[in-house]
Amino acid sequence: MATDAPPPSKEQHKLPSPEEFTEVQESAEFGELRRSYRSFAFPLTVAFIAWYLLYVLLSNYAGGFMGTKLFGNINVALVFGVAQFVTTFLIAWWYSKHAAANLDPKAEAIKSRMEGGA
């Protein structure tokens, strides 16, 4: 079975000291990485939880609305339920694109510097 991943490196990386970890954690670059993650993840998490709770509340308290047939045997509740799955996959896809473009390069730069590669 072939993979696209290169074999593990044989070279030894220097292990950072606790002081180096603290220094990096307090750096502006790490703060920017953390801000970039939080500005994406937190609003999307709140939005998704609100969307999910709307679905649950409507299912419990608006049975007439959720039972409204849209076409054939398809009703509002089924469409909302399927939309929950679609939303989950879209958020996961969007996050992976965001991480690859904005988070991973910054994290890799910090990691390589801490390991003595830069």
Side-chain angles (χ1 to χ4, degrees):
M1 180 158 104
T3 63
D4 292 334
S9 175
K10 299 289 183 195
E11 66 185 63
Q12 292 291 326
H13 295 285
K14 121 181 151 55
L15 294 175
S17 69
E19 293 79 21
E20 290 172 312
F21 274 110
T22 303
E23 181 182 321
V24 167
Q25 183 182 7
E26 294 170 352
S27 72
E29 184 181 26
F30 188 78
E32 176 57 34
L33 174 62
R34 190 172 33 219
R35 256 187 313 284
S36 188
Y37 168 76
R38 287 179 178 170
S39 68
F40 184 88
F42 288 177
L44 261 164
T45 301
V46 169
F48 184 77
I49 289 172
W51 163 233
Y52 175 74
L53 289 175
L54 173 69
Y55 174 67
V56 170
L57 291 171
L58 287 173
S59 295
N60 283 322
Y61 299 111
F65 170 70
M66 294 297 270
T68 303
K69 292 199 185 264
L70 299 175
F71 50 91
N73 286 329
I74 307 299
N75 61 16
V76 173
L78 181 62
V79 171
F80 274 32
V82 170
Q84 291 287 318
F85 285 100
V86 171
T87 305
T88 301
F89 289 112
L90 284 174
I91 289 172
W93 170 79
W94 192 14
Y95 176 77
S96 73
K97 301 281 283 179
H98 172 75
N102 300 316
L103 304 178
D104 294 348
K106 293 175 186 176
E108 189 59 39
I110 292 170
K111 178 184 171 202
S112 67
R113 246 191 329 283
M114 287 195 72
E115 292 177 343

